Amino acid sequence: MLNQLLGTFKKNIRSYILIIALVVIWMGFGIAQPAYLSADHIQNIFTQMAIIAIMACGMVFVIVTGGIDLSCGYGAGFISVVAAALLYYQKIENPLAAMGMSGMTLEVVTAIVVVIISVGVSILIGVFQGSVIAILAVPPFITTLGGMFIWKSGVLLVTQGKSLFISKNDTYKFIAQGLLPPFVGYVIAVIVTVIMFLMLFQSRARKQKYGIQLKSLAWEISRTAIFAVLLWGYVLIVNRVFEASPEPSVQGVPFLVVLLAVIALVMNYVSTNTRYGRYAYAIGGNREAARLSGINIKKSIFSIYVTMGALMGISGVALAAYVGSGTTGAGGGYELDVIASCILGGTSTLGGEGTVFGAIVGALIMQSLSNGLQMMNVNSNLQYMIKGLVLILAVWADISMKKKKA
Amino acid sequence: MEQDVLLEVKNVTKEFPGVTALSDVSIKIKRGEIHGLCGENGAGKSTLMKILCGVYPHGSYSGDIIYNGKVLRLGAGSIHQAIEEGIAIVYQELTLIPLMTVGENIFLGKEPRTGVGIDWNKLYSDTDELLKRYKLPVSPHEVVKNLGVGQMQMTEIAKALSEKADVLILDEPTSALSEAEVDKLMEILATLKSLGVTCIYISHKLEEFFRITDTVSVLRDGKVVTTLPTKDTSLEKLVQLMVGREMKERFPKGNRKPGEVFFTVEGLRALDPNDPSREIVKGASFELRKGEILGIAGLMGSGRTELVTTIFGEYGILTGGKITLDGQEIKIGSAREAMSHGISLVPEDRKRQGLVLIQTILQNISLPNLDRFSGFMRINGSAEIAEAEKFSKSLSIKAPSVHVAAESLSGGNQQKVVISKWLMSEPRILILDDPTRGIDVGAKFEIYKLINQLAEAGYSIIMISSELEEVLGMADRVMVMWEGRSNGTLDIAQATQEKVMARATGIEIA
Ligand SMILES: Nc1ncnc2c1ncn2[C@@H]1O[C@H](COP(=O)(O)OP(=O)(O)OP(=O)(O)O)[C@@H](O)[C@H]1O
Ligand SMILES: [Mg+2]
């Protein structure tokens, strides 16, 4: 049985190597700087990476089809300043108040309307870019390079060169800054654990029904168990059960992390279990074969850029809530982090290959690196250099590993 | 006698993850002979050839290759080394660069130079000379992507011959060639032999071995079954050695009762989309009955592929004629529309048009069929796997499981994946463009049986083949193409080789 476990491990070595790299990074920094592994900091890493990781969930599909989205950084920035402007100029709040709303209701409804409008705008951005790419057949690189300039201008136009503070609406800020009460964290952890195991057994039962050979039960259970342990470890740490007398105000799973987890799970499911996902991989792998298989390539590509737009919008909304304002530089350069996360996570720039799970781990690695370097007081001017080298190194290692296999 | 051996394969074993492609293989190739190599799909033929020419370098296999009395040690990643040693290969899969011309492809990496620049005049005149010398019907300036598979194959051969080769390896060179081109290749091989070139020749068209080879080796499951002089064996015996059992007939008997005509093509004309001044289909008409197999015969370049891809909505620009289905005129603008009318096409070039190579067998087979496994959103993965495994089994696709990448399969097994993909879609009309290309005799028989079953169940089949015999063996009626137009349809009872050829060459006009 151990042999079988090793065999399966070897087959999936890619995803495990990423996780191992992550653990090594954490341990390295943890030994050098014990504060790195503190609950505070772990909460930080996850919240900060979430904004990038949400977009990475969409970018994986974009790159898998052989495209790229350079506009998502400034796009998210544009959405963040749109949301901030709506709140700052009280464009939503005032009409609602005139309708007789007040107090908490007013705040919550305002926040919800702002989110809906902002994500709506970002979907329109996706529709625009998706149409240009899919219907007018302008290459994605060019379309989104253009988009990058356009949304950069958008940011400047909306902010008029000043920061738009979201001072009054705490509900809105909860999106990125809020922590869920500890018991909610536990409830979620219990539910997820139960679902994971249920799904495991359900899928085994279904496979059995169709007479498909099953993987070893021990392996499948241990794999699910490892995820459960990681999940529980995280929840326990951020709920601060390991601290003598934690402050109640810092206990809990960040709302943004839950949001990311939901998005990641959905996109991961979509990637393997729906036509939408499967067509994306086929198009990226061999466009001609996909077309001759009757796939509507235009529709597929279009919907992928629309999804990317929506996720960019969610990131933008979160960005405004995280910073607490809409700023003139919002989102600039994020696209590079998003793309790097995907590539670090094993997405092939040639198209056809990549996983959502990998992209999330990639984003986590990038964030863990920059936070660690910061904590070690590495000159911040050097940090990009290190991140860049890590990216090149990772891809090179991957390529040479593949070669060896062949 | 010993000094006669030019190339000796000695106890070679080569493993891939989960597969032993070659186990303890030993073969002696004598200087100046044409040595045939046959075996089922996945037997290890191509793997052995890739070892000989350095694709799998020294050290990635065990055992030795002894060439000219010395152990051959080809380094990793340098196929040039093999060329320097005088070993040239025409791969089973085409390796040409589609956007370059024939000349550029042939001289890729060894372009004649004028100082720093490329001497284009010399390049094209050399190409021209090379093509003329071997009478290859290809133009040096043609862009490769506009060529048919057969012409691409010719270009590959020209490319291999453009260097001085002591050993020429041909891995299924004739799989896409029609009879006339095969004859031409045989002539070329005879010439090369008289010039002292040693040749290793792989094919699934076993008759060819008896036309040119001196010796034949049979591989089965990665082992050498036997090596013997060609004159000491027979076709039946070779088949038996290859598949391990006797095969009485090549084509299974069908029990078909073709029904009504429900699909017609009348006077179809179409232009080349890459060069709209050229007419590629110059008037083609035929009718298709329910539950029949209609063969399309014709020489290479007669417009068979162009005709069916145009009908499928994926190639030519229609300028005239009409297509009717169930009495209604239909317009087909894309593969998707064709499929929505119940028409499927097994394309001619598996690597370019048929497969997503980096994806698994499963993903490839189910790609056009995902709708049937899907609910509103979710794909029923288990049903999908079960169905794919059914096809994989009935066509005996040789692979550890359906979850391995298509690129790791042998050529013939890749072709089986492409066929499975379309058989699963159960179309009303299944168009097969040279479906058994590169498939071994045993598996061909299985595919014929499946095609027969489909026809018996009321599906209609249109079948193109580079082998006339296959068309004659399978079809109920044969439509013959000549220079882009249909030159009559013959009932199988009256269709003989001679009659079909007379129409295909325009000696007789309908
Ligand atoms: N890169 C690879 N990775 C894994 N397995 C491989 C790889 N290349 C070949 N194989 C396996 O090795 C075996 C021999 O393949 P090979 O291509 O030599 O067969 P072949 O005799 O040329 O068959 P065909 O007649 O279909 O061309 C097959 O089972 C194939 O799946
Ligand atoms: Mg082969």
Side-chain angles (χ1 to χ4, degrees):
Chain A
M1 201 195 81
L2 192 66
N3 258 342
Q4 205 180 358
L5 284 191
L6 275 178
T8 329
F9 180 79
K10 266 194 199 143
K11 253 199 225 150
N12 300 312
I13 198 152
R14 262 208 91 128
S15 13
Y16 298 111
I17 277 187
L18 277 178
I19 296 176
I20 292 166
L22 188 61
V23 172
V24 168
I25 290 171
W26 281 354
M27 291 210 303
F29 283 125
I31 291 166
Q33 275 290 345
Y36 190 83
L37 292 177
S38 68
D40 269 334
H41 186 246
I42 287 185
Q43 234 159 2
N44 264 343
I45 289 186
F46 276 87
T47 321
Q48 288 169 353
M49 61 82 78
I51 292 174
I52 298 297
I54 289 173
M55 287 196 273
C57 292
M59 188 68 88
V60 168
F61 287 85
V62 170
I63 300 180
V64 157
T65 56
I68 193 87
D69 185 354
L70 297 173
S71 75
C72 71
Y74 280 107
F78 175 66
I79 298 301
S80 86
V81 298
V82 166
L86 291 173
L87 290 163
Y88 179 80
Y89 295 112
Q90 307 192 338
K91 291 282 189 218
I92 308 296
E93 200 177 356
N94 288 343
L96 287 177
M99 282 160 63
M101 277 189 211
S102 66
M104 199 57 199
T105 329
L106 177 62
E107 192 181 307
V108 172
V109 175
T110 306
I112 290 174
V113 174
V114 168
V115 170
I116 291 174
I117 293 180
S118 308
V119 175
V121 171
S122 75
I123 290 175
L124 288 180
I125 292 179
V127 169
F128 167 66
Q129 296 189 156
S131 320
V132 174
I133 292 164
I135 300 165
L136 306 183
V138 178
F141 185 92
I142 308 216
T143 307
T144 60
L145 183 65
M148 184 169 157
F149 286 116
I150 297 173
W151 315 128
K152 183 172 179 169
S153 211
V155 170
L156 298 173
L157 285 171
V158 172
T159 53
Q160 298 293 338
K162 61 180 179 182
S163 289
L164 311 172
F165 288 98
I166 310 168
S167 44
K168 290 202 298 191
N169 197 321
D170 285 337
T171 308
Y172 183 81
K173 282 193 246 174
F174 184 84
I175 294 170
Q177 299 180 11
L179 303 176
L180 298 173
F183 82 92
V184 177
Y186 292 130
V187 171
I188 294 179
V190 170
I191 294 177
V192 171
T193 311
V194 170
I195 290 181
M196 274 198 309
F197 279 98
L198 273 182
M199 274 173 51
L200 165 66
F201 287 108
Q202 207 197 5
S203 108
R204 286 181 73 90
R206 215 183 303 128
K207 282 191 183 152
Q208 214 147 25
K209 198 179 100 192
Y210 284 97
I212 295 161
Q213 213 194 349
L214 295 172
K215 286 192 190 128
S216 111
L217 183 65
W219 159 256
E220 291 204 305
I221 288 189
S222 37
R223 197 181 56 176
T224 309
I226 290 172
F227 278 106
V229 167
L230 286 177
L231 170 68
W232 278 95
Y234 173 73
V235 173
L236 292 175
I237 288 173
V238 295
N239 277 350
R240 316 240 173 187
V241 290
F242 303 118
E243 287 171 36
S245 51
E247 264 182 65
S249 65
V250 297
Q251 282 177 309
V253 179
F255 174 76
L256 189 56
V257 172
V258 176
L259 184 66
L260 166 64
V262 171
I263 291 174
L265 287 176
V266 170
M267 295 305 279
N268 190 51
Y269 182 85
V270 163
S271 72
T272 51
N273 293 305
T274 67
R275 278 162 286 184
Y276 173 95
R278 294 281 290 274
Y279 290 167
Y281 285 87
I283 291 170
N286 183 349
R287 193 177 266 254
E288 172 134 5
R291 202 188 64 237
L292 290 172
S293 297
I295 292 172
N296 189 338
I297 297 199
K298 284 181 182 166
K299 184 174 139 197
S300 232
I301 300 263
F302 174 75
S303 59
I304 276 162
Y305 282 91
V306 174
T307 313
M308 183 68 216
L311 292 175
M312 179 179 92
I314 295 173
S315 278
V317 165
L319 177 62
Y322 185 75
V323 186
S325 65
T327 61
T328 51
Y334 281 22
E335 66 281 354
L336 301 180
D337 281 313
V338 173
I339 295 168
S341 301
C342 292
I343 290 171
L344 200 55
T347 307
S348 160
T349 46
L350 299 175
E353 282 177 297
T355 62
V356 173
F357 178 76
I360 303 278
V361 179
L364 205 47
I365 289 178
M366 294 295 267
Q367 193 69 50
S368 304
L369 265 180
S370 39
N371 282 22
L373 295 171
Q374 221 160 358
M375 247 186 200
M376 304 276 296
N377 286 322
V378 173
N379 184 342
S380 65
N381 299 331
L382 245 152
Q383 281 183 26
Y384 289 108
M385 201 185 275
I386 293 174
K387 273 166 63 175
L389 289 174
V390 166
L391 181 68
I392 295 172
L393 189 80
V395 173
W396 170 74
D398 190 44
I399 291 173
S400 53
M401 218 167 64
K402 265 193 200 150
K403 262 208 199 124
K404 228 168 144 193
K405 238 176 41 186
Chain B
M1 274 312 273
E2 266 311 294
Q3 70 269 34
D4 253 338
V5 175
L6 173 64
L7 182 71
E8 180 176 0
V9 178
K10 216 171 170 182
N11 308 105
V12 166
T13 297
K14 166 81 187 166
E15 300 191 351
F16 295 108
V19 189
T20 304
L22 296 171
S23 82
D24 202 19
V25 167
S26 300
I27 298 179
K28 288 181 184 164
I29 313 276
K30 294 196 215 96
R31 191 184 300 276
E33 75 170 343
I34 299 184
H35 194 115
L37 196 55
C38 64
E40 287 181 295
N41 297 128
K45 305 179 295 294
S46 298
T47 305
L48 182 59
M49 295 309 112
K50 286 178 184 166
I51 287 176
L52 293 183
C53 69
V55 173
Y56 300 132
H58 184 79
S60 70
Y61 55 91
S62 68
D64 282 316
I65 307 295
I66 297 165
Y67 179 58
N68 270 329
K70 290 193 303 268
V71 174
L72 190 66
R73 290 198 175 79
L74 298 174
S78 92
I79 26 172
H80 287 291
Q81 236 176 310
I83 295 171
E84 274 163 33
E85 294 280 353
I87 303 177
I89 181 166
V90 175
Y91 293 104
Q92 178 173 11
E93 304 299 333
L94 300 168
T95 57
L96 302 172
I97 298 175
L99 290 177
M100 289 189 172
T101 63
V102 169
E104 283 174 286
N105 265 292
I106 289 177
F107 285 95
L108 189 65
K110 47 182 194 243
E111 295 85 354
R113 304 197 153 265
T114 58
V116 283
I118 291 173
D119 187 345
W120 290 109
N121 295 330
K122 181 163 164 46
L123 187 148
Y124 284 112
S125 68
D126 283 1
T127 307
D128 201 40
E129 193 202 328
L130 188 69
L131 294 170
K132 285 227 177 74
R133 181 163 9 130
Y134 299 110
K135 302 197 193 64
L136 301 174
V138 192
S139 144
H141 290 277
E142 187 69 79
V143 176
V144 164
K145 87 175 166 37
N146 298 338
L147 299 179
V149 183
Q151 286 174 306
M152 289 192 196
Q153 193 62 266
M154 293 288 176
T155 310
E156 289 274 10
I157 294 169
K159 190 174 165 184
L161 292 174
S162 68
E163 295 274 331
K164 182 175 161 23
D166 296 321
V167 179
L168 178 65
I169 299 172
L170 297 160
D171 194 349
E172 296 188 31
T174 54
S175 65
L177 304 190
S178 62
E179 255 93 325
E181 281 83 33
V182 174
D183 291 346
K184 193 157 289 160
L185 183 72
M186 298 288 140
E187 274 169 38
I188 295 170
L189 287 179
T191 318
L192 287 172
K193 188 180 167 185
S194 68
L195 295 173
V197 177
T198 307
C199 190
I200 303 177
Y201 188 85
I202 299 178
S203 180
H204 286 294
K205 301 181 178 173
L206 303 179
E207 315 81 53
E208 291 165 9
F209 288 121
F210 297 93
R211 294 177 62 182
I212 43 153
T213 66
D214 303 295
T215 313
V216 196
S217 290
V218 182
L219 276 179
R220 186 157 86 220
D221 292 331
K223 299 191 190 66
V224 179
V225 181
T226 183
T227 298
L228 73 184
T230 314
K231 60 179 176 359
D232 294 352
T233 186
S234 65
L235 196 91
E236 292 71 33
K237 192 141 162 254
L238 265 193
V239 172
Q240 191 167 8
L241 287 168
M242 257 177 75
V243 295
R245 64 190 148 84
E246 220 180 318
M247 280 191 62
K248 291 249 161 50
E249 50 193 348
R250 282 190 56 192
F251 301 101
K253 296 255 167 343
N255 178 26
R256 295 188 292 274
K257 292 179 209 68
E260 299 284 290
V261 170
F262 73 108
F263 179 80
T264 65
V265 170
E266 277 167 56
L268 206 72
R269 305 181 85 88
L271 304 177
D272 183 347
N274 301 311
D275 174 11
S277 64
R278 208 163 69 99
E279 194 167 41
I280 44 168
V281 181
K282 303 168 185 160
S285 309
F286 65 89
E287 331 186 292
L288 186 65
R289 291 186 197 138
K290 198 163 176 297
E292 84 167 338
I293 301 177
L294 174 71
I296 301 184
L299 301 178
M300 188 163 82
S302 64
R304 296 168 303 174
T305 294
E306 288 81 356
L307 171 65
V308 292
T309 44
T310 301
I311 293 173
F312 197 59
E314 282 292 338
Y315 190 66
I317 306 164
L318 274 187
T319 50
K322 69 176 187 179
I323 301 174
T324 63
L325 178 68
D326 299 326
Q328 307 274 323
E329 178 164 0
I330 55 170
K331 295 253 182 285
I332 300 173
S334 68
R336 237 165 56 76
E337 282 173 36
M339 286 173 67
S340 72
H341 287 298
I343 305 174
S344 288
L345 169 78
V346 173
E348 140 182 77
D349 184 342
R350 58 174 168 259
K351 204 167 147 196
R352 224 181 59 211
Q353 307 168 307
L355 292 170
V356 183
L357 284 169
I358 56 172
Q359 293 198 324
T360 62
I361 297 177
L362 170 74
Q363 288 166 330
N364 273 292
I365 294 185
S366 56
L367 188 59
N369 306 306
L370 283 177
D371 282 340
R372 74 150 80 176
F373 298 119
S374 305
F376 170 62
M377 281 280 286
R378 197 180 77 88
I379 295 168
N380 182 345
S382 310
E384 184 193 348
I385 295 173
E387 188 78 351
E389 282 181 344
K390 202 177 84 193
F391 277 92
S392 167
K393 213 190 240 141
S394 65
L395 294 189
S396 51
I397 294 178
K398 195 180 172 216
S401 80
V402 293
H403 302 285
V404 302
E407 63 191 342
S408 77
L409 297 179
S410 78
N413 284 300
Q414 290 180 355
Q415 185 68 26
K416 293 183 203 168
V417 173
V418 181
I419 293 179
S420 305
K421 163 175 170 177
W422 295 110
L423 286 180
M424 191 193 271
S425 74
E426 296 187 348
R428 291 181 68 189
I429 303 174
L430 178 62
I431 306 174
L432 301 157
D433 193 350
D434 213 354
T436 58
R437 176 170 172 219
I439 290 184
D440 69 53
V441 282
K444 263 185 193 169
F445 195 78
E446 294 307 313
I447 289 170
Y448 297 148
K449 275 207 294 207
L450 275 169
I451 292 174
N452 273 345
Q453 272 169 28
L454 276 183
E456 278 161 30
Y459 301 100
S460 302
I461 316 281
I462 298 176
M463 181 164 169
I464 297 179
S465 175
S466 54
E467 288 173 84
L468 184 51
E469 219 177 309
E470 184 171 82
V471 174
L472 295 179
M474 290 294 294
D476 297 308
R477 291 183 307 137
V478 182
M479 193 262 265
V480 188
M481 299 264 313
W482 166 62
E483 293 193 340
R485 70 200 66 159
S486 52
N487 193 8
T489 303
L490 305 169
D491 259 345
I492 199 66
Q494 26 158 310
T496 58
Q497 291 250 1
E498 295 71 38
K499 276 194 184 153
V500 172
M501 285 318 283
R503 301 239 169 175
T505 48
I507 293 173
E508 196 179 312
I509 293 173

